[in-house]
Amino acid sequence: MRNAHTVAKIRDAEAALLAALPPGALMQRAVYGLVAHVARRLGRVYGARIVVLAGGGDNGGDALWAGARLAERGARVDAIAPGRTHPEGTAALLAAGGRLHGPAPALDDETLRRLFDQAELVLDGLLGIGGRGGLRADHARLAALAPPERTVAVDVPSGVDADTGAVTGAAVRASATVTFGTHKRGLWLTPGAAHTGPVELVDIGLELPEPDLRALDDADVAAMIPVPGPESSKYRRGVLGLVAGSDAYPGAAVLAVGGALRGGAGYLRVVTETGVASRAGDFVRRAHPEAVVTAIRAGDRAAMLAAGRVQAWAIGPGLDPGPAVRELVAGLLGTDLPVVVDAGALDPLAELLAADSAALRARDAPVLITPHEGEFGRFTATALGWDPDRTTADLAADRLAAVRRAAAATGAVILLKGTRTLIVEPVGAAWVNTNGSGWLGTAGTGDVLTGLIGSLLAAGLPAAGAGAVGAHLHGRAAERAAVPLAAGDLPDLLPRVVTDLLAAPDRGRPRGGHGG
Ligand SMILES: NC(=O)C1=CN([C@@H]2O[C@H](COP(=O)(O)OP(=O)(O)OC[C@H]3O[C@@H](n4cnc5c(N)ncnc54)[C@H](O)[C@@H]3O)[C@@H](O)[C@H]2O)[C@@H](O)CC1
Ligand SMILES: Nc1ncnc2c1ncn2[C@@H]1O[C@H](COP(=O)(O)OP(=O)(O)O)[C@@H](O)[C@H]1O
Ligand SMILES: [K+]
């Protein structure tokens, strides 16, 4: 498990440790980790040309000290400073033979370009967790010139808000980030997450409280995947009821069923709309003979519920939102089972919530909704009266906070899909998925995810756990796909992903959350 904390919590932990350690010791721990990263990456430090971007705070201090250590090992280090610099770090760099250029306004573009062009590596120490708002012009100029493929961000890419991931104006783009003590939420939240490259965590010994945001690793997911025991049967493993597919969109049902069959439930009951031609049911039967299909007339909630006993429901892929689907969603809310609501069932659920804001809180079992950003805007507009334009702005300014507000106000567990899918419980507990790739942004991958999550829910995982494990497996499957991937490729890749996770030697070993 990887943990992220708020800047305020990091400052508290830092203060406690600073009081207990000799002056400068904490910074030296950070510097040690940073230098190790740089040395590993360069292979040979001696003779390497390194540029240090040195802001006026401790982030600049880290970078300058790292520059000093690298200069002592024979690197040629040029520091560029927008203004004043960390005194001890500066003195150490100069004593080690490094050079300081600045303040930046006095440096012409030509000189700066030459320094950046020659650099094998740039250390971005302009701003860390002390950054506030958009970069000032003298910082922004340096951030824009730093070459992304050769830049390592110190603690946080400068210009990315460490708490929210918001980016206002220019920000450093790095090919790797070395962060200290714990992850910062902004490293994981879009848009900031697009600036970090892979993130390496350096343990500096902070004693941290409960995290504010978590990310599952392979080992966590391996320990959470429901594995059948000797006593298991198809019914004991969990039965999923999946309401998906209509005459208009039969394919979505096929994709969702594909995800569900590979999600670990023992039995799958699929409910489709008969419509004129019962197309969806026929499609599903042909593609997936394992699924048991019941075709119902649109909106016939009694027929849906009569499809058989299940442990969880998922509804939405390939359904046309309208009064008939609202009937079905209302029928599912009336059960005491966990329900996943996606796609064509989201607007109908939002309408039910607009009429009765306590509809979800009145249930004992969770409702997990899985919107993408556009669906989230529509859902919150209908259910909560939020202005969609304002919601778009709120998501860019502080994605996690916006989703937390919506989860608290509706009582739904919310899985907001995107580059960094977020899973948030009504009480605020939050997870982020950090794997996958842009190739997932193709029609139908969300349908596969809904089936997969529904299946995990039926197999007994709690709602947020099913969402987080489902998103992780879905992302890993995408990483293994031949590209460009199509949504239909994903179900067939899931068995290899799960098999490898379960075979990993550290499966089942406790994984500490220590130090993030
Ligand atoms: N918190 C910790 O546990 C540790 C922190 N360390 C380092 O210390 C950093 C935090 O240092 P500081 O608190 O000094 O903060 P920073 O170095 O992040 O930034 C503070 C400085 O930046 C200026 N500034 C703020 N916003 C700006 C903007 N938008 N444009 C231009 N300038 C801006 C401020 O006026 C101030 O001079 C961490 O990111 C990390 O690199 C490490 O040394 C080790 C331990
Ligand atoms: N850049 C990206 N990186 C990682 N995952 C992505 C990216 N873009 C989209 N995804 C994932 O792809 C899926 C798309 O789902 P969705 O928007 O519902 O599509 P559809 O409705 O066509 O199935 C989600 O799981 C989302 O998180
Ligand atoms: K930085």
Side-chain angles (χ1 to χ4, degrees), residues 15 26 61 92 96 98 151 169 203 270 346 348 366 417 424 433 462-463 472:
L26 196 55
T151 295
D203 188 353
V270 184
L346 284 168
K417 290 181 283 197
V424 179
N433 187 57
H472 186 95

Side-chain angles (χ1 to χ4, degrees), residues 59 124-128 153-158:
N59 192 250
D124 158 35
L126 289 173
L127 281 182
V154 179
D155 209 22
V156 180
S158 303

Side-chain angles (χ1 to χ4, degrees), residues 372 417-419 421 435-438 440-447 449 474:
H372 54 61
K417 290 181 283 197
T419 312
T421 293
N435 69 17
S437 83
L440 264 179
T442 177
T445 52
D447 302 324
L449 181 67
H474 189 250

Side-chain angles (χ1 to χ4, degrees), residues 11-175:
R11 295 264 191 224
D12 290 348
E14 179 198 28
L17 198 53
L18 278 173
L21 290 173
L26 196 55
M27 187 174 276
Q28 293 311 319
R29 289 183 186 174
V31 169
Y32 186 86
L34 179 58
V35 169
H37 175 98
V38 170
R40 221 169 31 246
R41 171 161 168 159
L42 286 174
R44 185 160 192 255
V45 172
Y46 186 87
R49 295 185 77 119
I50 294 169
V51 162
V52 169
L53 299 179
D58 282 351
N59 192 250
D62 293 337
L64 287 164
W65 270 109
R69 297 284 178 249
L70 293 162
E72 283 163 5
R73 292 168 63 173
R76 175 168 171 177
V77 182
D78 289 280
I80 306 173
R84 65 170 285 274
T85 53
H86 188 268
E88 293 85 6
T90 306
L93 177 72
L94 296 177
R99 296 186 303 180
L100 179 66
H101 309 263
L107 299 173
D108 56 284
D109 277 0
E110 182 98 8
T111 308
L112 288 177
R113 261 206 202 93
R114 184 174 44 77
L115 286 168
F116 283 121
D117 280 351
Q118 291 172 348
E120 273 166 69
L121 206 71
V122 176
L123 285 181
D124 158 35
L126 289 173
L127 281 182
I129 58 175
R132 290 285 165 272
L135 291 180
R136 289 200 300 264
D138 47 358
H139 289 62
R141 178 177 172 225
L142 297 176
L145 285 172
E149 68 286 354
R150 285 174 280 133
T151 295
V152 172
V154 179
D155 209 22
V156 180
S158 303
V160 171
D161 187 290
D163 263 339
T164 63
V167 175
T168 317
V172 165
R173 279 190 184 270
S175 56

Side-chain angles (χ1 to χ4, degrees), residues 106-459:
L107 299 173
D108 56 284
D109 277 0
E110 182 98 8
T111 308
L112 288 177
R113 261 206 202 93
R114 184 174 44 77
L115 286 168
F116 283 121
D117 280 351
Q118 291 172 348
E120 273 166 69
L121 206 71
V122 176
L123 285 181
D124 158 35
L126 289 173
L127 281 182
I129 58 175
R132 290 285 165 272
L135 291 180
R136 289 200 300 264
D138 47 358
H139 289 62
R141 178 177 172 225
L142 297 176
L145 285 172
E149 68 286 354
R150 285 174 280 133
T151 295
V152 172
V154 179
D155 209 22
V156 180
S158 303
V160 171
D161 187 290
D163 263 339
T164 63
V167 175
T168 317
V172 165
R173 279 190 184 270
S175 56
T177 296
V178 179
T179 205
F180 308 127
T182 180
H183 291 273
K184 285 80 203 167
R185 301 183 312 174
L187 300 176
W188 287 347
L189 298 169
T190 49
H195 290 249
T196 66
V199 178
E200 180 181 325
L201 176 66
V202 173
D203 188 353
I204 56 172
L206 297 183
E207 288 288 341
L208 290 153
E210 280 293 293
D212 190 63
L213 179 63
R214 301 165 213 251
L216 299 183
D217 287 319
D218 282 341
D220 307 306
V221 171
M224 290 169 80
I225 290 174
V227 176
E231 309 278 275
S232 298
S233 70
K234 63 187 174 193
Y235 297 113
R236 286 200 192 175
R237 289 184 58 195
V239 183
L240 172 66
L242 175 63
V243 188
S246 54
D247 272 3
Y249 308 108
V254 172
L255 292 166
V257 170
L261 288 171
R262 297 306 190 181
Y267 196 102
L268 179 58
R269 301 187 196 279
V270 184
V271 177
T272 61
E273 274 184 14
T274 49
V276 197
S278 188
R279 288 178 73 207
D282 290 347
F283 267 64
V284 169
R285 282 192 197 93
R286 224 168 288 140
H288 299 294
E290 302 90 342
V292 177
V293 182
T294 304
I296 61 164
R297 275 179 297 106
D300 188 344
R301 66 155 103 173
M304 171 187 71
L305 295 171
R309 267 178 60 89
V310 301
Q311 276 70 54
W313 286 99
I315 182 166
L319 296 184
D320 230 342
V325 175
R326 201 164 60 225
E327 264 300 298
L328 299 183
V329 174
L332 296 186
L333 293 187
T335 70
D336 56 2
L337 296 169
V339 184
V340 184
V341 179
D342 182 34
L346 284 168
D347 286 348
L349 173 64
E351 289 156 14
L352 292 169
L353 275 166
D356 173 11
S357 63
L360 303 190
R361 271 187 295 270
R363 308 178 87 236
D364 288 333
V367 170
L368 169 69
I369 67 170
T370 60
H372 54 61
E373 194 168 321
E375 289 168 335
F376 181 82
R378 277 211 311 280
F379 184 86
T380 50
T382 304
L384 301 169
W386 290 9
D387 169 31
D389 291 335
R390 175 80 192 276
T391 302
T392 304
D394 285 349
L395 286 171
D398 191 339
R399 202 171 179 80
L400 179 55
V403 182
R404 277 197 169 127
R405 276 199 300 279
T410 57
V413 179
I414 300 181
L415 180 146
L416 178 63
K417 290 181 283 197
T419 312
R420 293 295 166 88
T421 293
L422 280 176
I423 303 102
V424 179
E425 292 181 337
V427 291
W431 290 261
V432 62
N433 187 57
T434 60
N435 69 17
S437 83
W439 294 106
L440 264 179
T442 177
T445 52
D447 302 324
V448 177
L449 181 67
T450 300
L452 176 58
I453 291 173
S455 195
L456 291 162
L457 206 54

